[in-house]
Amino acid sequence: GEDVEQSLFLSVREGDSSVINCTYTDSSSTYLYWYKQEPGAGLQLLTYIFSNMDMKQDQRLTVLLNKKDKHLSLRIADTQTGDSAIYFCAESNTGNQFYFGTGTSLTVIP
Amino acid sequence: DTAVSQTPKYLVTQMGNDKSIKCEQNLGHDTMYWYKQDSKKFLKIMFSYNNKELIINETVPNRFSPKSPDKAHLNLHINSLELGDSAVYFCASSQVRGGSGTQYFGPGTRLLVL
């Protein structure tokens, strides 16, 4: 299968910006996604970006896509303690098969 | 209304038993999935069904058998449970034909095999 990689841990102070990075190998990716998983809960879709876009903004979330480098990032502005969770990057090229990253555990320090 | 629901939410059972986990989606999606999330939170796809037909069957023991009675349901039956089967199992659904393919997840079933 395709490789989707993320760093495992990130700590930030409350009020700072968080940037979670993801790299992938499939050059034919159509959609790229960010999911959030809070403790004891399922995966919640945060946002997704179509591969012909460079950037997508949704309130405190900014997604940047560098298709040439196969790099996706999620920036969370004014990070709050409620943002503490695991964030999964995922990519899909057919819709049937998703490839998930290992997840980045974000800890927000008050 | 819950979009993707799973039952049970928690399942504690003895090694060697047979158990089933049920999944239902009311989104009208054509594709459903089962994922396994291990203790390190790594998410691995197990099966995918499109319109009741198996389309993805990753390398999982044949003790795991998915069953899709209709488009809205995908159940997972596990025979002869082993300690290593302890994990969180997530069901998901998506609309592949004519849709974005975005996957929506259920809340998970936490399976503990003793």
Side-chain angles (χ1 to χ4, degrees):
Chain A
E2 305 297 338
D3 279 335
V4 181
E5 296 199 357
Q6 304 174 235
S7 51
L8 291 179
F9 302 99
L10 176 66
S11 291
V12 298
R13 294 212 170 272
E14 192 173 14
D16 288 351
S17 291
S18 310
V19 179
I20 304 171
N21 293 303
C22 171
T23 57
Y24 58 97
T25 57
D26 183 5
S27 56
S28 60
S29 292
T30 308
Y31 291 95
L32 296 120
Y33 304 83
W34 284 105
Y35 284 84
K36 177 183 180 183
Q37 184 180 29
E38 295 181 358
L43 276 74
Q44 171 198 355
L45 177 68
L46 279 181
T47 186
Y48 67 91
I49 189 169
F50 193 53
S51 59
N52 67 356
M53 297 168 66
D54 297 326
M55 184 181 94
K56 182 177 180 182
Q57 188 150 4
D58 183 2
Q59 299 182 334
R60 292 191 297 121
L61 305 179
T62 303
V63 179
L64 294 177
L65 174 60
N66 181 329
K67 201 171 176 185
K68 175 173 163 289
D69 293 340
K70 301 192 189 72
H71 182 267
L72 182 74
S73 68
L74 174 70
R75 180 177 180 268
I76 306 172
D78 186 25
T79 313
Q80 303 297 308
T81 52
D83 295 325
S84 293
I86 299 176
Y87 291 80
F88 289 92
C89 163
E91 63 96 1
S92 169
N93 60 10
T94 64
N96 277 336
Q97 178 68 295
F98 264 49
Y99 296 98
F100 280 87
T102 50
T104 298
S105 178
L106 173 66
T107 301
V108 181
I109 304 162
Chain B
D1 279 349
T2 306
V4 183
S5 59
Q6 296 177 227
T7 52
K9 192 170 180 182
Y10 299 95
L11 185 53
V12 182
T13 188
Q14 298 281 349
M15 225 166 41
N17 284 350
D18 303 338
K19 291 291 177 188
S20 290
I21 309 172
K22 295 186 177 182
C23 178
E24 177 181 359
Q25 55 98 0
N26 63 7
L27 297 167
H29 287 165
D30 59 7
T31 306
M32 295 183 73
Y33 311 79
W34 276 109
Y35 286 85
K36 179 180 179 181
Q37 187 177 43
D38 63 22
S39 56
K40 292 182 181 172
K41 305 298 184 186
F42 297 150
L43 207 57
K44 184 177 176 183
I45 191 162
M46 300 173 72
F47 303 102
S48 172
Y49 268 72
N50 178 271
N51 281 320
K52 302 198 299 173
E53 278 190 46
L54 181 66
I55 52 171
I56 292 173
N57 183 358
E58 292 295 310
T59 307
V60 297
N62 57 14
R63 299 180 295 104
F64 290 79
S65 51
K67 285 188 173 49
S68 181
D70 55 57
K71 222 171 67 162
H73 294 85
L74 181 62
N75 304 324
L76 183 65
H77 189 76
I78 316 170
N79 287 328
S80 303
L81 278 155
E82 299 179 359
L83 296 177
D85 298 331
S86 295
V88 183
Y89 292 84
F90 287 102
C91 176
S93 74
S94 71
Q95 181 60 32
V96 172
R97 187 180 292 275
S100 70
T102 302
Q103 294 192 6
Y104 294 87
F105 283 77
T109 295
R110 282 140 191 85
L111 171 65
L112 178 61
V113 182
L114 302 174

